[in-house]
Amino acid sequence: MKIAVGCDHAGYVLKGAVIDFLRARNIDVLDLGAYEYDKEDSYVDPAFRVGGAISDETVDAGILMCGTGYGISIAANKVPGVRAVACYSPESAKTAKAHNGINVIALGGRETKPEDVPAILGAWLDTEFEGGRHLQRLNKIAKAEKSALNLHTQAGGKITIFTHPLIQHKVGIIRSVETSVKQFRELLNEITGLMVYEITRTLPLTEKEITTPIQKTIVHTIEGRKMAIIPVLRAGLGMVDGILQIVPNCKVGHIGLYRDEKTLKPVEYYCKLPFDIEERDIFVLDPMLATGGSSSAAIELVKKRGGKKISLVCLIAAPEGIERVHADHPDVNIFSAALDSHLNDHGYIVPGLGDAGDRLFGTK
Ligand code: RB5
């Protein structure tokens, strides 16, 4: 069994006790932060990280901790497939598992003492979901969640944040101010390469017959004109090789935009796209989704040239940028290796990694 844990500052001490308890029971632990005490941090990001790990089945269950367990469970419950409830006693943990089949238990660092953790978590882990009438109710909730999600996808776009440990590990290194230009370039390509598996998940397949050394058989092959990637100059260039290593036949377009200093609007200075762009699955590459202005303008440009099926692939996204791109282009799915907190007064993503173009090309 593998369990993801996450907390904010108010749950930080409790997280230590939780991890000790899980390890004593030989349970695999995926620690999704916070990794240090920071009284300004928020419960929302760890809740989404743990929720994401449940949703994509990286883990079997999750444990979240904030001051009360309330805020962090509200946030986690927004992630599809998560059933999170705050529990303060072994009895409430037992019922929440037996009746509600919770896959995430939330604890309150200001409500529960570290020494009470084993009894509460033990009750949760050792109780079976009762199924029956309870399952019917959960199924009904799951159905409503699914249709709400479909609605959301049509009206408001879809965002995928990557929770895979390898990606998180590499994002952790690339952020550091200590990381050299050479390492930055290698890491950006590696992270993008790891993202390819997910971003290409919906590419259409056709069947064809081949002959193996043993006999004829039907295999699957990616159909049609396939993919195009379009880096937004210049930082987007750092993501190109990572994709080409896995999909070498994919065509590459380029878009160059600069920000007009008076209007602050993005202005096109270069645009060269594959001639058959309207037939391809298009992935616009822009590592830092900050305000969303340039990504949105790049997508607009691709649409004007006939592009139809477009996704945006980023390294780090800020909520402001996601909102902007989805407001302008609700049909565009966004993939980002990480979701950060906010933008600072200079429009930089916080905590971010600074200017990706400068770090990639060593220009600062
Ligand atoms: C943070 O101080 C606190 O408000 C938070 O941890 C949580 O209790 C919210 O539900």
Side-chain angles (χ1 to χ4, degrees), residues 7-11 37 39 41-43 65-74 88 107-111:
C7 69
D8 73 353
H9 59 280
Y37 181 84
K39 71 175 176 17
D41 73 4
S42 128
Y43 55 77
M65 292 129 281
C66 63
T68 54
Y70 295 158
I72 207 157
S73 50
I74 291 172
Y88 290 175
L107 305 174
R110 293 178 189 143
E111 307 290 338

Side-chain angles (χ1 to χ4, degrees), residues 85-108:
V85 163
C87 299
Y88 290 175
S89 64
E91 292 70 31
S92 57
K94 202 171 164 190
T95 313
K97 181 73 167 292
H99 290 191
N100 311 105
I102 58 166
N103 49 14
V104 173
I105 185 168
L107 305 174

